[in-house]
Amino acid sequence: MLTKNELTFNILAFNHVSERIRIAISNNPLSEGGFKLSDRDAKQFASFLDPSKGSGDLFVSSVGSKQAQSTEIELAVSPRHCQPNEKCWSISFLKKYYTLKLTEHFKAIGIPVQTNFVSDTDVWIKCRSPYPNCDGYRVFSLRVQFTAPAYTPELVIIVGDVHSVFNKPISDDLFSEMPHDSFGKVLYNNEIHLFNQLSDTARRQMDKVYPCISFKLLHALKLVRPAPDKSNRYLKYWKELVDFRATFLTDKEIANFMHLESAWKTAVPERLTNEKKEVQFGNGTHDEPKYGMRLHGPKTLIEDNVIFFFILHSTDKALAVTINDYLKGIESKFNGGLSGYLKMKYTTELNLSIVFEDKNNPIAEICAKIKEKSILSNASKRYVAIYLSPHSKITQNSQHKAIYYQLKEQLLLRGIVSQTIDANKTWGYGRPTEEVNGKIRAALSSNFQYSLPNIFVAIHAKLGGTPWCLESQASDELVIGISAYRSRDLDKQYLGSTFSFTNEGKFQGFDCFKSSQVAVLAGSIALKVKNYCQEKQDLKRLVIHFYKRLSWRELKPIEKALSELGMSVPVVIVSINKAYSDDLVGFDLSSEHLMPLSGTFVALHNSQYLLYNNQLLKGLEKINEREGYPFPLKITIQQFLPDKNESIATSPEDTISLLEQVCRFSQLYWKSVSRQWMPVTLRYPEMLAQIFPHFKYKDLTESGSESLWFL
């Protein structure tokens, strides 16, 4: 029976059916089935085989079969079943053995399977596809693991996405004009393969090879992606989990090789008590920015003389008139406009806005008009460009997509803050108009005013203001965030970094580097540390929020740069997976929505934690569907002492403060007034790394490296 505080996980413990396992090994590579022994296991059994025959590697035959020139070996599954002076099977072997058994079981009952990149078994269960002429498959990943300290065998059941497979083979006329690189995964003979790795047998039977939907196929066939389902993820995941178990894991055939426990694994979590605080606004505090900004105004005011102007296509003049009315505050649907919301004067100048004619190549025209209007001639003024983009930001047209980045860069080089608004999304493709007080305006939908707080907050932050912040805290640590983004268009990965000098979350300094420029990144970090110490004198530790687990080899350049400054401080790496954890999820079965309270965390192993960061602070709140049901963050904490190449565990007190810090930095997302659950120490660098590779000039200007222009 569950206690109220327990979480239930997507894990089933199992027992070995037999105390001993017999297999056949060979040093001949397998044509199919079976698996290769690890180097460590292979050394143990090398003496059983003739090293002059076959390769130096050892292979386990497919279960139940025996290869020519193979040798049978039988060992115990654990030390307690071993005979005197006998070794038992290793954990790595047992993982591969049970994974193979699961793969062969599902293949035998006619279900498509695949071994994924982390060596789990992906099981493709038929379901409905959102695309026409396709069959849908819900992918369940089965992971065998052994949990310390007792190394209990467990089966993790991971509920994945729906993949779609065309019901027409790759030889069909539909795909006759598609280049080879359009195809990724394909279904052949009830197995999932990569198209570029198909066997000769499969290539001779292209009428039996069925392509899976890929990004390139979606684009080429002009298929519309369905809107994402933002309903409760916990309820959907749990239902799929329970149904899969009842349908596929109670099979007698599975019971022949693993005895699955009847109850899901549970654990009693811990809870942070100080992970969320009311944030500070201009004249008060509130725990929700969307209300705090309205009630109390921004934390800091913009003192500069700011001039707004529009950049628009000639067909969007009516839209500019309407948006200008909203910003001026004369539109009744948003009283007060920008001035009332940000507590700053909204000012425009006659004939300052720029109207261009060429939708497909407007940059030269826009730059010429900026120069013609002498926008930068008055140093006492700052400028904000409201760009009404005639193209969607998610367009697949590479020329249209490039316009956004090119204009962003040109304005940034001139010190002009820019805010993009999608003209078609805002106005609608019907483009209705209305006449108000002798002006022809765009008639917008009733929802536009709800996007204005997000637009206003982003503009305020881009101008260097602080919309809201955490309460001031005594702190002698520097927090650095590093994240990455791989551009699908450019096929390059860039790292973005951001620096927080104060624990209340005031940011200064942004940089972007190619993923190979680790030494340059390290030098940049060292420079920021030096500047920090000159201002603060004492530095207790350096905390790095990193987008993946950091190895000692990756940390070494940072340590070297710090030592060259004569600094000897601990470095704490808080690795935060950019994707929320869906391979390991805990459910609160005592609540109707199944989502655990924010601040709930579970210690896993090897200094790894699951941390729930969401809108449920007390459990009594009404769920805001727009703020979603985020899965937990998977976090690893590594502490490196000076001159030590092995990480050590942080104290319980330090662990709690570091987890609380992750939650607090998620409250400082200034692109929206809706609450976010990923810390900005990762979100901001990733946004920077997403845009920066498209710039022609790879050196950010002073304003570009010290402002939030990328919001």
Side-chain angles (χ1 to χ4, degrees):
M1 184 175 179
L2 284 173
T3 67
K4 187 173 182 181
N5 293 326
E6 278 186 336
L7 296 186
T8 301
F9 287 88
N10 54 321
I11 299 173
L12 292 170
F14 69 89
N15 296 311
H16 303 287
V17 171
S18 174
E19 295 178 357
R20 302 180 69 81
I21 292 175
R22 176 182 290 271
I23 54 97
I25 63 171
S26 167
N27 43 20
N28 293 314
L30 305 169
S31 56
E32 60 178 292
F35 57 86
K36 177 186 169 184
L37 284 175
S38 68
D39 291 343
R40 185 174 180 180
D41 288 336
K43 287 179 181 178
Q44 182 179 351
F45 305 117
S47 60
F48 288 84
L49 297 168
D50 183 352
S52 66
K53 298 179 180 179
S55 67
D57 298 320
L58 294 185
F59 302 88
V60 175
S61 302
S62 181
V63 177
S65 66
K66 183 178 178 182
Q67 290 222 142
Q69 298 179 340
S70 63
T71 300
E72 291 192 349
I73 298 175
E74 181 181 288
L75 293 178
V77 295
S78 68
R80 63 193 177 99
H81 299 304
C82 284
Q83 298 174 0
N85 301 319
E86 181 188 39
K87 292 184 178 180
C88 63
W89 291 116
S90 68
I91 295 296
S92 65
F93 168 83
L94 291 172
K95 284 182 180 180
K96 292 181 178 180
Y97 173 80
Y98 283 112
T99 298
L100 177 62
K101 295 285 281 186
L102 287 165
T103 300
E104 293 189 336
H105 166 74
F106 282 100
K107 283 174 66 176
I109 61 176
I111 293 177
V113 292
Q114 174 196 25
T115 301
N116 64 26
F117 72 98
V118 290
S119 300
D120 299 334
T121 297
D122 283 349
V123 181
W124 290 46
I125 304 300
K126 212 159 196 179
C127 64
R128 185 177 178 182
S129 169
Y131 299 105
N133 303 315
C134 289
D135 296 320
Y137 291 86
R138 170 78 67 182
V139 178
F140 294 82
S141 298
L142 305 181
R143 176 179 300 163
V144 177
Q145 66 181 24
F146 290 75
T147 304
Y151 292 99
T152 306
E154 295 175 339
L155 182 65
V156 184
I157 301 113
I158 304 163
V159 181
D161 296 328
V162 172
H163 291 232
S164 294
V165 181
F166 284 99
N167 53 27
K168 295 181 179 181
I170 211 163
S171 58
D172 191 87
D173 181 60
L174 178 65
F175 308 110
S176 61
E177 296 182 0
M178 304 292 173
H180 276 218
D181 63 358
S182 298
F183 304 103
K185 292 179 180 178
V186 294
L187 175 63
Y188 168 71
N189 196 25
N190 249 7
E191 292 184 358
I192 307 301
H193 302 270
L194 290 175
F195 179 67
N196 61 3
Q197 296 178 11
L198 278 175
S199 65
D200 287 351
T201 303
R203 289 166 58 198
R204 294 178 191 279
Q205 303 179 71
M206 286 298 191
D207 59 331
K208 295 180 181 179
V209 177
Y210 297 87
C212 301
I213 287 274
S214 66
F215 178 81
K216 289 184 177 180
L217 285 178
L218 276 178
H219 176 50
L221 297 173
K222 295 181 171 55
L223 296 176
V224 179
R225 286 176 126 174
D229 182 359
K230 296 184 179 180
S231 59
N232 190 329
R233 296 185 68 192
Y234 288 87
L235 292 176
K236 291 181 292 184
Y237 196 110
W238 181 253
K239 182 181 184 306
E240 294 287 352
L241 191 65
V242 171
D243 289 350
F244 178 82
R245 179 194 176 178
T247 306
F248 297 103
L249 296 182
T250 56
D251 193 298
K252 291 181 180 179
E253 294 298 322
I254 285 185
N256 286 335
F257 61 87
M258 60 168 54
H259 286 161
L260 291 165
E261 296 284 349
S262 58
W264 298 98
K265 184 175 182 178
T266 62
V268 178
E270 299 178 72
R271 180 96 196 278
L272 303 174
T273 58
N274 203 24
E275 88 285 4
K276 293 282 175 65
K277 291 180 177 288
E278 288 192 333
V279 291
Q280 295 186 341
F281 297 89
N283 293 319
T285 63
H286 204 284
D287 59 354
E288 292 196 52
K290 62 184 174 184
Y291 300 122
M293 281 293 293
R294 269 291 194 188
L295 292 171
H296 306 301
K299 176 64 177 175
T300 63
L301 299 178
I302 301 299
E303 304 290 347
D304 300 318
N305 180 13
V306 180
I307 308 299
F308 290 79
F309 68 99
F310 287 82
I311 299 176
L312 65 145
H313 186 258
S314 56
T315 58
D316 292 326
K317 291 179 180 179
L319 176 60
V321 171
T322 302
I323 293 177
N324 188 50
D325 285 348
Y326 272 99
L327 300 183
K328 288 164 65 176
I330 62 176
E331 172 57 58
S332 60
K333 293 178 182 177
F334 199 91
N335 291 325
L338 182 141
S339 297
Y341 196 84
L342 295 182
K343 315 305 178 189
M344 63 176 287
K345 188 174 182 298
Y346 175 67
T347 304
T348 58
E349 290 183 355
L350 189 65
N351 298 323
L352 190 63
S353 291
I354 293 171
V355 180
F356 60 88
E357 299 295 337
D358 189 347
K359 276 187 181 181
N360 296 318
N361 188 22
I363 301 301
E365 186 179 354
I366 292 171
C367 290
K369 291 189 175 182
I370 290 176
K371 186 176 181 180
E372 173 188 319
K373 292 176 182 289
S374 301
I375 287 178
L376 299 179
S377 61
N378 193 332
S380 66
K381 298 178 181 179
R382 296 187 65 189
Y383 294 91
V384 176
I386 306 296
Y387 171 49
L388 305 185
S389 173
H391 308 295
S392 169
K393 192 176 180 180
I394 60 173
T395 179
Q396 297 307 314
N397 184 307
S398 58
Q399 182 181 359
H400 293 167
K401 187 183 292 187
I403 293 170
Y404 169 81
Y405 300 113
Q406 291 168 2
L407 181 58
K408 195 89 171 172
E409 181 177 19
Q410 288 299 320
L411 294 173
L412 183 62
L413 289 171
R414 292 165 172 80
I416 299 173
V417 168
S418 63
Q419 179 65 41
T420 301
I421 296 176
D422 186 331
N424 291 323
K425 182 179 178 181
T426 304
W427 195 353
Y429 288 94
R431 297 187 165 238
T433 58
E434 58 188 3
E435 184 174 343
V436 178
N437 297 327
K439 298 185 297 185
I440 302 299
R441 307 186 340 153
L444 305 186
S445 71
S446 58
N447 295 325
F448 174 68
Q449 67 270 22
Y450 298 120
S451 64
L452 286 174
N454 296 338
I455 293 172
F456 292 164
V457 163
I459 289 174
H460 188 81
K462 291 173 184 179
L463 285 169
T466 301
W468 60 85
C469 68
L470 301 174
E471 65 177 16
S472 180
Q473 302 174 69
S475 174
D476 47 6
E477 66 184 17
L478 172 62
V479 181
I480 296 173
I482 301 171
S483 193
Y485 180 82
R486 174 170 289 278
S487 170
R488 181 182 284 144
D489 299 325
L490 304 177
D491 194 28
K492 292 180 181 178
Q493 179 166 288
Y494 278 75
L495 299 176
S497 65
T498 177
F499 303 89
S500 173
F501 286 88
T502 59
N503 229 9
E504 62 263 30
K506 293 181 180 178
F507 293 93
Q508 181 179 348
F510 296 86
D511 289 297
C512 198
F513 310 94
K514 291 181 180 178
S515 58
S516 59
Q517 295 177 301
V518 178
V520 182
L521 173 63
S524 175
I525 291 173
L527 179 61
K528 295 300 180 182
V529 170
K530 181 180 179 181
N531 292 341
Y532 177 90
C533 292
Q534 287 176 346
E535 292 184 20
K536 298 276 187 175
Q537 300 302 319
D538 295 321
L539 180 64
K540 175 185 174 184
R541 65 183 177 187
L542 173 64
V543 179
I544 299 178
H545 288 184
F546 208 70
Y547 70 100
K548 67 182 181 81
R549 189 181 178 96
L550 198 65
S551 68
W552 164 246
R553 188 181 67 178
E554 292 170 309
L555 179 65
K556 196 171 181 179
I558 298 173
E559 291 273 23
K560 182 174 182 289
L562 292 175
S563 67
E564 288 174 353
L565 288 176
M567 303 196 62
S568 180
V569 295
V571 178
V572 178
I573 310 296
V574 181
S575 305
I576 308 167
N577 284 14
K578 288 199 302 178
Y580 295 99
S581 171
D582 58 5
D583 61 341
L584 189 58
V585 184
F587 302 85
D588 182 359
L589 298 187
S590 68
S591 73
E592 184 178 346
H593 48 68
L594 305 185
M595 184 166 69
L597 293 178
S598 185
T600 298
F601 72 96
V602 179
L604 301 176
H605 64 280
N606 199 20
S607 299
Q608 192 173 67
Y609 303 86
L610 277 188
L611 173 64
Y612 290 83
N613 186 27
N614 55 54
Q615 59 185 297
L616 290 178
L617 301 182
K618 298 178 181 178
L620 304 175
E621 303 94 330
K622 182 180 178 181
I623 295 287
N624 183 333
E625 298 290 335
R626 294 188 66 183
E627 294 188 350
Y629 299 84
F631 275 5
L633 297 170
K634 188 178 286 185
I635 296 173
T636 303
I637 300 177
Q638 303 163 274
Q639 179 175 225
F640 292 90
L641 298 180
D643 301 321
K644 302 293 183 183
N645 58 8
E646 294 288 338
S647 65
I648 63 170
T650 52
S651 68
E653 295 79 12
D654 281 347
T655 297
I656 287 174
S657 72
L658 290 164
L659 294 177
E660 287 176 346
Q661 187 182 75
V662 169
C663 292
R664 289 176 188 159
F665 273 114
S666 72
Q667 294 179 270
L668 299 175
Y669 185 67
W670 294 333
K671 191 176 181 178
S672 169
V673 294
S674 295
R675 290 178 292 188
Q676 303 292 313
W677 315 120
M678 185 70 72
V680 294
T681 42
L682 289 192
R683 290 293 297 270
Y684 285 173
E686 182 180 13
M687 293 164 66
L688 174 64
Q690 185 175 358
I691 297 175
F692 183 73
H694 295 272
F695 284 2
K696 178 179 178 181
Y697 301 102
K698 301 306 181 186
D699 291 323
L700 292 172
T701 61
E702 182 177 346
S703 61
S705 61
E706 296 182 0
S707 70
L708 296 166
W709 57 267
F710 46 80
L711 293 180

